[in-house]
DNA sequence: CGTAGCTATAGCATTATTGCTATAGTAACT
DNA sequence: AGTTACTATAGCAATAATGCTATAGCTACG
């Protein structure tokens, strides 16, 4: 039920479902994703639960917006979740799953192609993160000056950067090992 | 629909649902998780789809086992998935979500406590990975000698190790920055 | 005016996933 | 014989998540 708590966290200030959807597409992408079709019913459920309150607000451009805000009970529920043990959870890594079984194809070229493709995707992701990191660093000269909240946002981004870099390093390590295996194999057949 | 393909991948040799469940608890933990209550119906669906075939086999200890194996269509479906682009997917990282909103508590001590707890969990995970890594290295003197398939399994483990190390490094970096912020704050109030 | 695009909410069908309970045979221990 | 534990399958309810479609107002372009 992490989504409940993530939405509560995002509602530090009042916002409509649509706004929260945008946030998942930008900053929250780092650690979660959710579609509007999941966000709207979840907000409704949280309101029924008493963790959120909503009111309709006329929009400047479009139909009325339903703006949600946390109730004291909601704030309490969020705080309780934040104080829980860090939840490492089960990672779902489809790309590692693919790689794990890729050996069954028995074709080193497929593995090579796969790693190059993965490398490119990771470079792209890292470039986005680095751009945001620079923007944040540009806004404030020293890390020690930013607000407590801003610091957490910055640090979360750093987690994304460090992990993406580690995955890139893994691609390179694995490509190197693969090449070494290939030359060994070539020599073996060459000698034989 | 990754689970379908992961189960197909696991069925390189025939196995029962129970066996696959065990595999999720051991090696496949690296990249996915699934409960038996999800595995059994999925196997049934894959059989109906024609990607798997099953037969009942008397068990030595317990009721009959339903043993599944891939059909040619199943092998083909697996190969098609393996040849697809690497799927980075949306990461679901509840611990980063917690950290991201932890700033709202406004208490650096909570952040400190959180990072220490996370650090401990990561150390534990890493210790497990390293043990497996050593076992694999013990079984074979050189990486270039193992089978293509074994090599993929080893490399997938390495991905887990490198990422866990990166997360640990992030904990340390963030703890250091946090301490620096605290001393700055202390001096500021001390001067004022 | 038409229409394309954006903002905003809503609903639905399907699948994915979790957590729980039930059943039943076998093995090992007491 | 009774109990506990392990192997193995099954089913169900609830929630989570995806992907799709519908509606409706407003803006901007030609």
């Amino acid at each position: 039920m992490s989504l409940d708590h993530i939405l509560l966290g995002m509602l530090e200030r009042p916002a409509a479902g649509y706004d929260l959807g945008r946030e998942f597409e930008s900053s929250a992408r780092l650690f979660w994703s959710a579609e509007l079709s999941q966000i709207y019913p979840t907000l409704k459920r949280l309101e029924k639960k008493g963790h959120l309150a909503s009111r309709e607000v006329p929009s400047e451009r479009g139909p009325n917006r339903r703006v949600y805000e946390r109730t004291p009970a909601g704030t309490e529920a969020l705080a309780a979740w934040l104080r829980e043990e860090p939840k490492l959870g089960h990672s779902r890594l489809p790309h590692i799953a693919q790689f794990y079984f890729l050996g069954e194809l028995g074709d080193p070229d497929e593995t090579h192609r796969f790693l190059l493709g993965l490398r490119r995707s990771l470079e792209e992701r890292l470039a986005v993160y680095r751009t945001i990191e620079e923007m944040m660093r540009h806004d404030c000269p020293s890390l020690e000056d930013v607000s407590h909240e801003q610091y957490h946002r910055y640090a979360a981004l750093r987690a994304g950067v460090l992990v993406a870099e580690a995955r890139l390093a893994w691609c390179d390590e694995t490509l190197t090992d693969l090449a070494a295996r290939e030359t060994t194999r070539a020599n073996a057949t060459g000698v034989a």
Side-chain angles (χ1 to χ4, degrees), chain A:
Chain A
M1 293 219 208
S2 289
L3 182 61
D4 290 29
H5 300 111
I6 290 169
L7 292 178
L8 284 173
M10 285 177 167
L11 285 167
E12 192 186 0
R13 61 194 72 249
Y18 194 81
D19 303 327
L20 301 172
R22 301 301 302 270
E23 202 166 335
F24 277 109
E25 282 171 18
S26 54
S27 42
R29 195 185 258 270
L30 262 169
F31 52 81
W32 209 264
S33 82
E35 299 298 318
L36 284 173
S37 55
Q38 194 192 353
I39 294 169
Y40 285 122
T42 304
L43 289 173
K44 259 189 189 165
R45 187 160 45 75
L46 286 172
E47 181 166 29
K48 214 172 83 179
K49 214 177 176 180
H51 288 182
L52 292 180
S54 79
R55 59 184 196 282
E56 270 198 33
V57 171
S59 168
E60 288 168 19
R61 42 189 343 190
N64 283 350
R65 326 182 72 215
R66 179 159 296 276
V67 172
Y68 288 86
E69 60 186 316
R70 291 203 296 245
T71 61
T75 305
E76 214 171 295
L78 173 63
W81 179 66
L82 291 175
R83 278 192 262 263
E84 279 174 27
E85 288 303 288
K87 302 200 168 337
L88 267 181
H90 319 283
S91 26
R92 296 273 158 92
L93 303 169
H95 62 112
I96 300 293
Q98 277 175 297
F99 181 88
Y100 188 86
F101 297 115
L102 207 47
E104 293 186 30
L105 286 183
D107 180 357
D109 288 346
E110 282 291 342
T111 305
H112 188 255
R113 185 197 56 77
F114 182 88
L115 288 170
L116 289 184
L118 182 57
R119 224 188 162 293
R120 234 195 40 176
S121 303
L122 286 166
E123 291 275 21
E124 277 172 29
R125 175 173 293 197
L126 198 50
V128 174
Y129 290 174
R130 283 207 210 284
T131 307
I132 304 174
E133 196 182 348
E134 264 174 52
M135 272 167 50
M136 289 176 105
R137 280 198 174 283
H138 183 263
D139 288 351
C140 60
S142 163
L143 254 188
E144 278 125 56
D145 295 334
V146 297
S147 75
H148 192 57
E149 269 141 304
Q150 265 304 306
Y151 174 65
H152 280 74
R153 277 146 184 69
Y154 171 77
L157 179 65
R158 283 290 299 163
V161 169
L162 289 178
V163 167
E165 283 173 348
R167 293 204 190 285
L168 264 179
W170 174 76
C171 284
D172 291 337
E173 172 185 306
T174 307
L175 280 166
T176 304
D177 289 352
L178 195 68
R181 286 170 57 82
E182 286 314 290
T183 45
T184 305
R185 203 119 321 186
N187 289 346
T189 52
V191 170

